[in-house]
Amino acid sequence: MSTEPDLAARLTRLEDLEAIRALDARYCRHLDDGNWDDLMTLFTDDGEFDGLSNPRGKIEMRAFFAGLADGGLTSFWHFITNLEIEIDDDTAVARSFLWQPCVLDGVASIAAGRYTDELVKQDGRWLYRVKRVRFHFFGPLADGWDENRFALDSARAAAVNP
């Protein structure tokens, strides 16, 4: 019995997993650095960001991300952990936790939540079709950062007033 086809399939899966991890790293780097044009290369032409707003297509998404500073968000740094990836041929779903120190209206703040992304493989590379973020916590850093702040009420407040 030959293991060659199984080995080739496993190798392809590992390459896809690594490509999706690298895509997430580039997303964080481009977003944190304000490289909006490079950020848009990570999405399909009809891609969508579902989060604080719901822009669709690269033109709307670029305007949204570039406009974050107008809404008071002047600095942010993304930390993504526990990336889980499910691949089905040329589509994938990726889930991760997000921890984001940021400056909002001049106040050092902290946000935490989850990304749930839908990806497609086009022309041999993985792209976001939908990048979805939900914040479960958002507050001034001076108010503290501990597990007691991750209550249902703080999650509801973050969802209603992101």
Side-chain angles (χ1 to χ4, degrees), residues 14-70:
L14 288 173
E15 289 171 343
D16 285 341
L17 290 170
E18 183 55 32
I20 292 170
R21 286 185 186 102
L23 177 71
D24 253 17
R26 285 191 310 276
Y27 170 84
C28 291
R29 187 172 42 253
H30 295 326
L31 184 60
D32 294 348
D33 292 344
N35 294 331
W36 313 127
D37 291 332
D38 290 338
L39 185 67
M40 292 305 100
T41 67
L42 307 180
F43 287 85
T44 61
D45 289 339
D46 61 347
E48 164 182 357
F49 179 82
D50 179 5
L52 304 173
S53 179
N54 195 14
R56 294 175 186 208
K58 291 183 177 185
I59 293 172
E60 281 185 25
M61 282 192 299
R62 188 187 189 293
F64 166 75
F65 286 116
L68 288 173
D70 296 337

Side-chain angles (χ1 to χ4, degrees), residues 66-134:
L68 288 173
D70 296 337
L73 189 61
T74 53
S75 297
F76 40 93
W77 306 270
H78 285 74
F79 296 95
I80 294 176
T81 62
N82 294 349
L83 182 62
E84 300 171 0
I85 303 168
E86 298 170 20
I87 299 173
D88 185 11
D89 294 323
D90 288 342
T91 64
V93 174
R95 294 176 187 87
S96 59
F97 292 109
L98 164 68
W99 179 72
Q100 178 181 353
C102 57
V103 177
L104 181 63
D105 295 328
V107 176
S109 298
I110 192 87
R114 287 188 62 90
Y115 277 115
T116 303
D117 306 325
E118 297 172 25
L119 303 105
V120 296
K121 193 172 191 180
Q122 292 182 348
D123 298 323
R125 64 185 276 242
W126 287 96
L127 299 171
Y128 297 112
R129 191 179 67 71
V130 178
K131 184 128 184 97
R132 183 175 295 113
V133 64
R134 295 294 183 261

